[in-house]
Amino acid sequence: MAAGRRGLILSLAIMAGLMAVLLASRGWVQASGLWGVGMVEVVMVAALLASSWVWWRGLDEAAREAHKFAWWWGGSAALLVVGLLLIFVVKTRDVSRLPMPDGHTDAAAYVVAGALGVMLLEVVGYGLAWLGWWMHRR
Amino acid sequence: MKNRLKVLRAERDWSQADLARRLEVSRQSVNAIETGKYDPSLPLAFRIARLFALPIEAIFEDG
């Protein structure tokens, strides 16, 4: 991808961040309210999709192949681990062994911890598979 | 799949980066193709063939 396009995306992201800070500081957007969070999330998703599209189009075919491999093998392996954890929790009904951030043990904290755990495992699996693909082809 | 990419590149005194720039791919991709660890797609194989002004089968061989 051309350096200019990367710079444009970075500039837009920084401008969007500054705009969000400005709106929040003026009280126009409640960062903790349902609508405020929803609006920020919609903007984030749109920006992520747009930048991902530009980034993907800039990749050559080998780089794309590495990501497809990582998506399938890394993502699937991570889901396998998630499945094992799920079976463990369902069978034992014991979530006290799970590490909880800040000691919160309410339902929302468990949902957040579960979602973050899945995301973390997916990222680790994806990263390892991606690295393995390139290391094998050095 | 075996190929003569490294030889053809050396004949023209091009570095992997030079070839990568001409093919609009990354240097890592050129390296992976040269070492036979990555088989290029048909469109990329045609681009390579056009760049060296050779038929595809003169650059890549099956097996």
Side-chain angles (χ1 to χ4, degrees):
Chain A
M1 179 176 30
R5 215 182 302 170
R6 269 200 299 261
L8 177 67
I9 292 171
L10 187 62
S11 304
L12 285 175
I14 291 171
M15 278 169 60
L18 289 175
M19 187 69 77
V21 169
L22 181 71
L23 289 174
S25 66
R26 296 277 170 99
W28 294 339
V29 172
Q30 286 290 101
S32 59
L34 187 64
W35 284 104
V37 173
M39 276 171 59
V40 171
E41 284 182 344
V42 167
V43 172
M44 276 174 61
V45 167
L48 267 172
L49 284 175
S51 56
S52 295
W53 174 249
V54 173
W55 167 77
W56 181 258
R57 283 173 61 90
L59 291 180
D60 69 21
E61 62 176 60
R64 287 184 182 187
E65 205 59 43
H67 283 293
K68 288 177 198 170
F69 177 88
W71 168 72
W72 170 249
W73 289 107
S76 300
L79 272 184
L80 196 65
V81 177
V82 170
L84 292 176
L85 283 173
L86 189 64
I87 291 170
F88 171 79
V89 172
V90 168
K91 295 307 280 184
T92 63
R93 297 282 171 186
D94 182 8
V95 290
S96 62
R97 292 163 193 260
L98 300 177
M100 294 301 291
D102 296 333
H104 288 293
T105 53
D106 54 291
Y110 282 122
V111 171
V112 170
L116 283 176
V118 171
M119 283 173 69
L120 181 69
L121 284 168
E122 286 287 328
V123 168
V124 169
Y126 192 103
L128 287 175
W130 180 85
L131 198 63
W133 195 93
W134 277 115
M135 291 297 284
H136 182 64
R137 285 162 184 80
R138 284 187 67 186
Chain B
M1 186 180 284
K2 291 177 186 172
N3 66 74
R4 295 179 54 227
L5 211 55
K6 192 173 182 177
V7 174
L8 294 168
R9 178 173 64 77
E11 285 172 0
R12 285 154 183 81
D13 203 21
W14 291 345
S15 65
Q16 284 188 342
D18 292 332
L19 180 57
R21 200 177 57 252
R22 285 176 162 87
L23 293 171
E24 295 180 332
V25 298
S26 67
R27 191 199 58 78
Q28 288 82 1
S29 296
V30 167
N31 183 61
I33 295 168
E34 275 189 4
T35 53
K37 291 175 177 171
Y38 174 71
D39 293 333
S41 67
L42 207 47
L44 180 54
F46 271 109
R47 284 218 307 274
I48 293 168
R50 267 198 299 273
L51 180 65
F52 290 111
L54 289 168
I56 286 180
E57 57 269 30
I59 301 172
F60 298 95
E61 75 175 69
D62 200 7

